[in-house]
Amino acid sequence: MNYIYKIYKFLEFIMKNILAFLAVVEANSFTKASESMHLTQPAVTKRIANLENQFNTKLFERIGHRVVLTDAGCAFLPHARAIYAEWQDANHKIASFSDRVRGTLIIGCNNHIATHRLPSLLKTYKDQFPEVDYNFVFRTSNEVIDLVENHQVELGFTSLPREIPMDIAVRKVWKNDMRVVLSASHPFFKRKNDIISRLSNIPLISPEKLNIYHDILEDIRKYYSINSKIISNINMLETIRKMVEAEIGWSIFPKHLIDDKLREIPFMKKRFYADLACISHKKRELSRPAKEMINCINIIIKNNPTKQSKNYNIFTSILII
């Protein structure tokens, strides 16, 4: 028994070092990695040194204030992720035999869902499972998918892109009804000529091309032949909102976010919807907290089935970050 315990403690020691390595890779900084792990920077540096001594090679190079992987570090990275994922799976499998639901649930989430959808879900979940703690990682939708795919978070909440990696499990939870909007005070609404002509004279505020929201706007622009000048690379939803409110241009927002400062331009006969989903890795053994979160989500889906009007041609698209 003492021999087995020593093996376990050695594995635990190795896993702490690997976790520090992955944290530094994610943060590109020893300081930020130590903050995310709630450790001192010397403690993180020591764990990296343990790995480097074990392999007898450097895993990171410091270039100015940046930290970059060496060739050896790049070679070790996929193995580190796989080892950590297996260790987590083993811990989750063993913990599933316990009657108590506790531990830390690591969630990746985009800003829109974190602001407008996640709090009410967490309230319901927390009431049922008060012993569960949370660790949140806020990223863009595409980055959240990468985090799930690389086993860096257990669950992700994201706006669904048009193509999903094969190893990602998807549960569609909410649906946003997307509408074209302008500032409610914009002079556009005082004019009477053709809507498309008027809109073409107003800039379109769009994220960068890598953002799926950009693709939705391109679909609308091309379908309705809207020849607006494009103000691009505005990736934060609240920034886009403020620019629209300031009469700088037009954009798309979910219907439920339109307030008295914004006004819909009701010209679209087609409807553009955004599916917001919870995602996980198909090959990962989820923890009890993650499984219970999915159970809560399944109840939401069951009680609020998606209903799409038959009076419209439906475009299934994506929101934003």
Side-chain angles (χ1 to χ4, degrees), residues 5 22 42 44 47 50 66 90 108 121 127 129 145 162 182 212 239 278-280 284 317:
Y5 177 76
L22 294 174
V44 172
R47 292 184 182 186
N50 290 337
R66 296 173 55 243
L121 172 61
D127 288 344
F129 307 106
I145 293 171
R162 290 168 179 167
L182 266 172
I212 191 65
T239 302
C278 174
I279 61 174
S280 58
R284 180 171 186 175
S317 298

Side-chain angles (χ1 to χ4, degrees), residues 21 25 57-60 68-78 80:
F21 171 80
V25 171
T57 188
K58 290 184 68 65
L59 299 175
F60 294 100
V68 297
L69 286 167
T70 63
D71 289 343
C74 289
F76 178 57
L77 179 57

